[in-house]
Amino acid sequence: MLSTEPGARPGVRLLALGQRFQKFIVVGLIGLAVNQVALWGLVGQSEVGLAVASPIAILLSMVVTFLLNEAWTWHDRGRGRIGTRALLYGTINSGGLLINAGLLLFLEREFGVHYLIANLVGAGVAAIWNFALNHVITWRS
């Protein structure tokens, strides 16, 4: 992987950041699949309310994405205790959870958007928040 370290040339750092973001997107798609299946199972099959089901599905996907990001996306940047990174990741992604669930509920209630489609919109917006903060804070060099 190219270096995103401060000493690297700006063009190299930008390219490396783009490669890392691509990995993050792949991991995010896996997490999104976990989220969508859990949401469908809780709401569509078990009749759990959307306001309860969404955070549960997001938390489940957070565990999956943390492990994948730790092993692949930022494998070269994790220093110190994994528990510390997991706590930071959970804290940052809790902001993403609020963004995702808030947009999901807003779009579904105010505009009648199907909950699985609204969830995709919320997850997309939350992904930007999650990547930016986790790159700078959780897996800082």
Side-chain angles (χ1 to χ4, degrees), residues 46-109:
S46 300
E47 299 182 11
V48 173
L50 193 55
V52 172
S54 176
I56 292 169
I58 294 168
L59 287 170
L60 181 59
S61 70
M62 267 200 255
V63 171
V64 170
T65 58
F66 172 76
L67 295 172
L68 291 173
N69 280 318
E70 176 73 17
W72 188 45
T73 309
W74 283 288
H75 66 89
D76 59 330
R77 288 185 65 177
R79 293 196 180 111
R81 301 178 67 130
I82 190 170
T84 301
R85 286 190 303 282
L87 183 60
L88 287 169
Y89 186 83
T91 301
I92 289 166
N93 285 33
S94 292
L97 181 151
L98 294 173
I99 292 166
N100 188 344
L103 279 171
L104 162 69
L105 293 170
F106 175 74
L107 292 172
E108 193 266 342
R109 291 179 179 164

Side-chain angles (χ1 to χ4, degrees), residues 5-28:
E5 299 303 315
R9 292 190 346 225
V12 172
R13 282 198 325 259
L14 187 58
L15 182 60
L17 185 63
Q19 290 174 338
R20 196 175 304 274
F21 186 69
Q22 288 173 347
K23 287 181 175 184
F24 181 80
I25 293 299
V26 170
V27 168

